[in-house]
Amino acid sequence: QRDLFISWSKISDVPVAQGDLTKACQAYEQVLAVNQRLAASDPANAAWQRDLSVSLNKLGDLAVAQGDLAGALRYFTQDMAIAERLAASDPANAAWQRDLAVSHFKLYQFAQKQGDEAMQQAKLRACFLVLDSMKQRGMHLDPQSAQVYAQLAGMQRREEGSLPLVQSMRAAAPPAPAPKPDPIPAALALLAAGRGAEAIQALRPLVFPNDSVEMDHRTPLEARLGFVRAFWVTQNQDGVKHYLPRLPEQDDPGVQAICAKLAEWEKGLSWAQKTGFCKKPQLPPLDTL
């Protein structure tokens, strides 16, 4: 189903590039239908929820371009609900916090189209609070988010000239929750040091929480990919071949790099078998983490 989503997403890009908004909307409706099925089948799967959010965002943009402001508001509001849930579920996840800021900014731009000044101020303020919280906690801001934050922080005063905008916004913001210690960097440090067996033990409860049988795709890709790399480091070819296809992000460069290395190794294994040299060749070194 997610492969179908990716295919429809690529197809949808064509009419957008051609400027055919009607066909683009029809294609994105197909994308949305697949996303909705996936999201409904597993509401706890954060990756699928985010896919749904992205589709709603794109349909909102297309609705604005076509002058369908009612449709745009519906899509952007649904996107906001998902972004708020994801951001609240993990305050330390910079990507989800950024998504929330983007959702607020989309509604700010929509309010500009509508001429709704109250909504503009509310959404601009909400966008600032998310980015400011990230900044104050030392979380990563991508260049575009950093530029928006700098512009908002550069506003010196409200229109009435009372308190500085930044101070007044921070004063009204709820206290940011203390981020939980992230066990992933420590586990990946073991892997980087070549301690693959220890990395497997550290990553397993993160990738398979509560002794689950299936890999939890809500876990960041770096942890799930690190789990696969740990099997590679320990020369456990069967483990790599078992878990690598279970990563849904097959188009990710890190996943593709391991797939390519595995394909090379399997060619060498085939050659060894054909020539009667039955011992399995060693897995080659992977690129630095």
Side-chain angles (χ1 to χ4, degrees):
Q1 287 297 308
R2 192 170 190 278
D3 288 346
L4 182 60
F5 150 68
I6 292 171
S7 297
W8 270 114
S9 296
K10 291 182 180 296
I11 290 170
S12 303
D13 291 338
V14 177
V16 171
Q18 293 174 327
D20 190 337
L21 299 184
T22 301
K23 284 188 178 179
C25 282
Q26 291 171 349
Y28 274 121
E29 288 288 354
Q30 296 290 337
V31 176
L32 181 63
V34 178
N35 287 156
Q36 288 173 328
R37 288 199 297 271
L38 283 169
S41 70
D42 185 3
N45 190 314
W48 293 349
Q49 296 295 321
R50 188 177 186 277
D51 286 344
L52 178 57
S53 172
V54 171
S55 295
L56 290 166
N57 237 324
K58 289 184 176 180
L59 279 165
D61 288 338
L62 285 171
V64 170
Q66 290 183 307
D68 180 10
L69 297 185
L73 180 60
R74 182 175 68 255
Y75 290 129
F76 287 144
T77 302
Q78 292 174 1
D79 164 60
M80 172 64 69
I82 297 172
E84 287 179 329
R85 286 199 303 272
L86 290 175
S89 70
D90 186 0
N93 188 314
W96 293 349
Q97 301 304 314
R98 180 192 180 277
D99 285 348
L100 180 57
V102 170
S103 295
H104 283 302
F105 196 77
K106 290 278 187 183
L107 281 169
Y108 158 71
Q109 292 176 316
F110 170 82
Q112 282 184 311
K113 296 277 187 183
Q114 286 280 70
D116 187 337
E117 293 187 8
M119 185 177 180
Q120 288 181 56
Q121 293 178 6
K123 288 302 168 184
L124 202 58
R125 174 180 176 276
C127 177
F128 171 83
L129 290 177
V130 175
L131 295 176
D132 188 57
S133 175
M134 294 176 67
K135 184 73 173 180
Q136 298 305 313
R137 289 185 285 159
M139 299 174 73
H140 173 70
L141 291 177
D142 64 276
Q144 187 177 13
S145 298
Q147 182 180 10
V148 172
Y149 175 74
Q151 291 173 345
L152 294 175
M155 297 177 182
Q156 295 299 315
R157 297 186 179 277
R158 291 182 182 273
E159 290 182 2
E160 64 269 22
S162 56
L163 292 174
L165 178 62
V166 171
Q167 292 178 2
S168 62
M169 284 180 169
R170 286 177 181 165
K180 298 177 183 178
D182 187 355
I184 295 176
L188 294 180
L190 293 171
L191 180 56
R195 296 157 64 180
E198 294 175 65
I200 290 173
Q201 294 303 314
L203 287 167
R204 187 180 295 277
L206 305 176
V207 176
F208 299 93
N210 302 318
D211 296 322
S212 58
V213 177
E214 294 296 328
M215 188 179 289
D216 189 347
H217 293 154
R218 293 172 295 178
T219 307
L221 175 60
E222 61 179 344
R224 291 180 282 117
L225 189 55
F227 187 69
V228 175
R229 293 179 70 107
F231 279 95
W232 190 289
V233 167
T234 58
Q235 291 295 315
N236 188 329
Q237 299 100 337
D238 292 335
V240 174
K241 293 167 71 174
H242 178 76
Y243 291 113
L244 184 60
R246 285 165 169 74
L247 298 176
E249 301 90 344
Q250 293 294 310
D251 55 345
D252 179 84
V255 177
Q256 290 181 343
I258 296 183
C259 289
K261 287 279 188 179
L262 183 61
E264 289 180 15
W265 176 81
E266 287 180 329
K267 286 182 180 178
L269 175 62
S270 176
W271 177 86
Q273 291 172 335
K274 287 179 180 178
T275 57
F277 186 73
C278 297
K279 183 180 178 182
K280 286 185 178 180
Q282 291 281 303
L283 290 170
L286 291 173
D287 295 334
T288 305
L289 283 173

